[in-house]
Amino acid sequence: KSSGINAEWPLRPGKAAENTSKFDLVVGCSVGSPAVYMTAIMARKVNCLIKVFSHSTNTKQVDSSITNKLLRVNKGETDYCGINLIYKDTSSPYFMACPGRQVAVSGLSNILRFIARERKYSSLYDEQDLLNAALIDEILSVVDSLERVNVSASEIGTILNTLASYLKSSSYLAGDALSIADIALCCHLTAMDSKLIPNSLRTYLSDTVKGNYEMKVLKAFLNWTPAGLVV
């Protein structure tokens, strides 16, 4: 009796197990960059420590309170440093994996894509799910526009309203689960002047931070308290 299954039909490969080997990433960015907060989230996700350096090209004052918070991420829970954060005079954050053996690649979205691929975090970015991956890429392209130099307040408002429209039918930007698009946007919101953030995105940030283990680390860096979020 036929089971109704065509044995010759190519099956979609199962999701690979997450990469649990030691992490080794160098991130360079300017002081106050959203990438600073991304390192905290990913350190919490990977369970590694962060080291912070200021390059000779950096001309901005480093906020020691933020540095201290970065150094405390996972302190006492692990003994190895997986992320080196270097403050530099650069307009776009960049990363290098296997330091010294790879050309730096720029852009917060590219950093997050690399980490999701290298760590096999398919829950955050599953390239086998073509439609969802395309949606995440589309949203990241909108988030990327926040990184442009000299973006006006009105332009920021338009971009944020566009991003908020993705939340009309789901809890997260690309559906009902956290993705690298959410991480990118939440990092930008954390780095942003709170007066520029519409109420809908304030609520979204609060819910995202409260509802995800790796995102809870942002509580220490917010300079305003979202409704219902105890800092």
Side-chain angles (χ1 to χ4, degrees):
K1 204 170 184 180
S2 173
S3 64
I5 298 175
N6 185 345
E8 295 182 357
W9 186 261
L11 298 177
R12 177 177 169 178
K15 294 181 179 179
E18 291 184 357
N19 180 1
T20 57
S21 63
K22 286 193 172 183
F23 200 43
D24 189 4
L25 190 75
V26 173
V27 175
C29 66
S30 61
V31 172
S33 166
V36 173
Y37 309 106
M38 182 277 300
T39 64
I41 293 169
M42 285 305 168
R44 176 60 59 86
K45 176 81 172 169
V46 175
N47 192 28
C48 68
L49 301 175
I50 305 170
K51 287 184 179 179
V52 183
F53 305 90
S54 182
H55 193 267
S56 59
T57 62
N58 176 47
T59 57
K60 297 181 180 178
Q61 184 174 353
V62 176
D63 187 332
S64 60
S65 66
I66 289 181
T67 298
N68 290 335
K69 291 171 184 176
L70 291 169
L71 296 177
R72 285 200 297 268
V73 175
N74 297 324
K75 188 174 183 180
E77 299 177 22
T78 185
D79 60 357
Y80 90 95
C81 172
I83 299 177
N84 288 286
L85 174 64
I86 305 175
Y87 288 124
K88 297 186 72 174
D89 183 13
T90 179
S91 60
S92 179
Y94 71 87
F95 78 95
M96 291 187 295
C98 302
R101 300 198 300 274
Q102 183 171 329
V103 176
V105 178
S106 297
L108 183 61
S109 295
N110 286 325
I111 299 174
L112 288 167
R113 285 191 190 95
F114 170 80
I115 295 172
R117 290 165 176 155
E118 193 273 339
R119 294 280 100 183
K120 297 181 174 61
Y121 290 153
S122 58
S123 64
L124 296 177
Y125 186 62
D126 184 3
E127 292 182 297
Q128 292 183 24
D129 187 340
L130 298 180
L131 289 177
N132 188 250
L135 177 58
I136 291 172
D137 288 338
E138 173 185 292
I139 296 167
L140 285 172
S141 70
V142 181
V143 177
D144 285 345
S145 59
L146 290 169
E147 292 186 24
R148 297 198 314 265
V149 178
N150 299 323
V151 183
S152 68
S154 62
E155 288 177 310
I156 291 173
T158 299
I159 294 166
L160 293 181
N161 286 331
T162 298
L163 290 166
S165 69
Y166 288 96
L167 298 167
K168 289 180 178 179
S169 58
S170 60
S171 301
Y172 296 97
L173 291 171
D176 295 321
L178 184 77
S179 73
I180 58 173
D182 298 291
I183 294 174
L185 177 56
C186 287
C187 290
H188 275 279
L189 295 178
T190 302
M192 193 175 291
D193 183 342
S194 62
K195 292 190 286 293
L196 297 175
I197 304 174
N199 288 334
S200 60
L201 289 182
R202 285 171 174 262
T203 301
Y204 156 77
L205 177 59
S206 176
D207 292 344
T208 302
V209 170
K210 287 189 293 183
N212 299 275
Y213 170 75
E214 60 268 63
M215 302 300 289
K216 285 183 171 67
V217 74
L218 290 182
K219 290 192 296 183
F221 299 96
L222 289 170
N223 59 7
W224 54 280
T225 305
L229 183 61
V230 178
V231 179

